[in-house]
């Protein structure tokens, strides 16, 4: 081109001049700023006493790694102990009632079988007598028509037939058998009721434990479990210490597998960042990689910066 300057290779090398063909590529832009580490709100949990009581066991130390659901402390509470004793007492009473109801049921079943056999035998005998009375009545009726017997004898035979029919009807609806059936139904109902009482005997105790989020031990104490996995950051209670109110802090558990880094970015640089963008964080001599998760929506005062979390 007009006015161009020719440079030989030796001069270009001394100048540090490099010539490269133009090509499309991504430019690595960066914004440097300072920030601070934070624990995410859902990754830091303060374990507290769910109920008034005394800490009888501390199962972890500061710095220990714990898993969600792992026992971390044992709490003794007079309320839980009382509910436990009441539950055991109710269950014992219900089990005793069940044993009695089952014994009554067996007797009722035996009595029903016996009454059924008696009623069946009586009914069979009554039907035999009815058949005999019917046969005699039919014969006397025929004899009365031809004048072979007096009318009084025929009336007596008819009366005997009516009495035989009445005996059959009474045998078919034998009162003792019906009463035995009624007693059997009542005994069956008592057994079902006693079983229900056993199932419900510790309902209040279990409901209270579920409300507290704990699990019961055989001695009536409550085991407190870690709500999240992480590291025991500190322990705020000593063995044997008691709390007059529920909610007394026992320890803090941190899950630091992922943390938040909060930094301030100037308003003029906001166009260069977006959620999901990669960031590099240097802490002391170590480097970490993260992703932008939150970009603030308000520019702060005179500094004209926006908080950004990664």
């Amino acid at each position: 081109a007009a006015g161009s300057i020719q440079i030989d290779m030796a001069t270009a090398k001394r100048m540090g001049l490099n010539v490269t063909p133009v090509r499309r590529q991504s430019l690595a832009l960066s914004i440097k700023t300072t920030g601070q580490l934070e624990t995410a709100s859902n990754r830091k949990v303060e374990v507290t006493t769910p109920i008034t009581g005394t800490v009888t066991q501390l199962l972890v130390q500061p710095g220990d790694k714990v898993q969600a659901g792992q026992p971390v402390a044992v709490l003794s509470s007079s309320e839980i102990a009382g509910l436990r004793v009441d539950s055991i007492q109710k269950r014992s009473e219900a089990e005793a009632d069940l044993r009695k109801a089952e014994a009554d049921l067996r007797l009722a079943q035996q009595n029903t079988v016996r009454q059924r056999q008696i009623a069946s035998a009586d009914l069979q005998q009554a039907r035999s007598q009815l058949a005999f009375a019917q046969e005699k009545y039919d014969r006397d009726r025929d004899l009365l028509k031809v004048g072979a017997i007096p009318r009084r004898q025929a009336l007596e035979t008819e009366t005997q037939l009516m009495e035989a029919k009445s005996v059959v009807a009474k045998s078919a609806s034998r009162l003792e058998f019906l009463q035995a059936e009624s007693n059997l139904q009542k005994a069956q109902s008592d057994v079902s009721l006693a079983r229900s009482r056993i199932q419900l005997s510790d309902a209040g105790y279990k409901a209270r434990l579920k409300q507290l989020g704990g699990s019961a031990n055989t001695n009536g104490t409550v085991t407190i479990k870690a709500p999240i996995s992480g590291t025991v950051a500190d322990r705020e209670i000593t063995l044997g210490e008691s709390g007059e109110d529920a909610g007394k802090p026992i320890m803090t558990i941190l899950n630091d597998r992922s943390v938040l880094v909060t930094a301030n970015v100037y308003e003029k640089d906001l166009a260069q960042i977006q959620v999901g963008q990669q960031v590099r964080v240097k802490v002391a001599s170590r480097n970490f990689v993260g992703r932008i998760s939150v970009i603030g929506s308000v520019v702060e005062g005179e500094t004209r910066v926006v908080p950004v979390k990664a």
Side-chain angles (χ1 to χ4, degrees):
S4 62
I5 300 175
Q6 297 295 327
I7 302 175
D8 57 61
M9 294 299 294
T11 303
K13 185 176 181 180
R14 288 196 301 271
M15 293 174 59
L17 178 62
N18 292 316
V19 180
T20 304
V22 176
R23 67 180 185 274
R24 183 179 297 274
Q25 65 180 23
S26 299
L27 296 179
L29 302 177
S30 65
I31 301 170
K32 291 186 177 181
T33 182
T34 58
Q36 60 183 8
L37 294 175
E38 298 177 2
T39 302
S41 58
N42 62 341
R43 293 179 176 270
K44 178 180 180 180
V45 177
E46 188 176 58
V47 182
T48 61
T49 56
I51 194 172
T52 302
T54 302
V55 176
T56 57
Q57 294 184 59
L58 288 168
L59 307 176
V60 293
Q61 302 288 337
D64 288 351
K65 300 287 186 181
V66 297
Q67 298 296 320
Q70 177 181 334
V72 295
V74 177
L75 182 70
S76 174
S77 169
S78 58
E79 177 187 350
I80 295 300
L83 288 174
R84 176 72 173 173
V85 170
D86 184 59
S87 168
I88 294 174
Q89 182 178 355
K90 287 181 178 179
R91 186 176 186 87
S92 298
E93 292 174 353
E95 288 175 345
D97 290 343
L98 176 61
R99 289 191 293 271
K100 181 179 182 301
E102 289 176 338
D104 292 342
L105 176 59
R106 288 192 293 271
L107 290 176
Q109 290 171 334
Q110 295 170 0
N111 186 48
T112 300
V113 172
R114 183 171 61 255
Q115 292 299 330
R116 184 181 290 115
Q117 293 172 345
I118 294 174
S120 177
D122 289 348
L123 180 60
Q124 184 176 359
Q125 182 180 2
R127 285 175 175 171
S128 298
Q129 293 175 352
L130 175 60
F132 177 77
Q134 184 70 48
E135 181 181 353
K136 185 177 180 182
Y137 170 74
D138 293 340
R139 184 180 68 249
D140 287 356
R141 184 184 55 187
D142 294 339
L143 293 174
L144 178 63
K145 289 180 181 179
V146 297
I149 61 173
R151 181 174 181 81
R152 179 178 56 80
Q153 183 177 343
L155 292 174
E156 289 177 353
T157 303
E158 183 178 7
T159 300
Q160 292 172 358
L161 176 62
M162 297 300 295
E163 291 176 351
K165 289 182 178 180
S166 176
V167 171
V168 169
K170 289 181 179 179
S171 298
S173 58
R174 184 179 176 88
L175 180 61
E176 290 84 355
F177 175 68
L178 296 178
Q179 184 63 44
E181 287 281 0
S182 176
N183 292 339
L184 176 60
Q185 293 176 0
K186 181 179 182 302
Q188 291 172 337
S189 176
D190 290 343
V191 169
S192 299
L193 180 61
R195 287 174 177 167
S196 298
R197 287 183 58 196
I198 289 177
Q199 294 177 351
L200 295 175
S201 60
D202 56 356
Y205 175 61
K206 289 182 177 179
R208 181 58 172 148
L209 288 177
K210 186 176 181 180
Q211 180 186 17
L212 297 174
S215 58
N217 303 313
T218 55
N219 58 1
T221 58
V222 177
T223 297
I224 301 173
K225 299 179 179 180
I228 63 171
S229 300
T231 304
V232 179
D234 53 32
R235 210 171 62 184
E236 304 173 33
I237 201 170
T238 57
L239 189 64
E241 188 173 347
S242 61
E244 297 179 357
D245 300 314
K248 183 178 180 62
I250 299 177
M251 64 187 66
T252 302
I253 299 176
L254 294 177
N255 185 329
D256 54 3
R257 290 181 62 86
S258 112
V259 296
L260 286 178
V261 177
T262 302
N264 293 323
V265 176
Y266 286 106
E267 181 183 13
K268 64 182 180 62
D269 295 324
L270 287 180
Q272 299 182 50
I273 64 173
Q274 60 185 358
V275 174
Q277 195 170 13
Q278 188 182 82
V279 297
R280 296 183 182 277
V281 181
K282 184 175 182 180
V283 181
S285 59
R286 296 185 61 187
N287 293 321
F288 302 90
V289 176
R291 297 280 177 182
I292 293 178
S293 57
V294 178
I295 298 176
S297 56
V298 178
V299 179
E300 297 183 356
E302 297 179 356
T303 58
R304 310 306 294 172
V305 295
V306 175
V308 176
K309 294 181 183 294

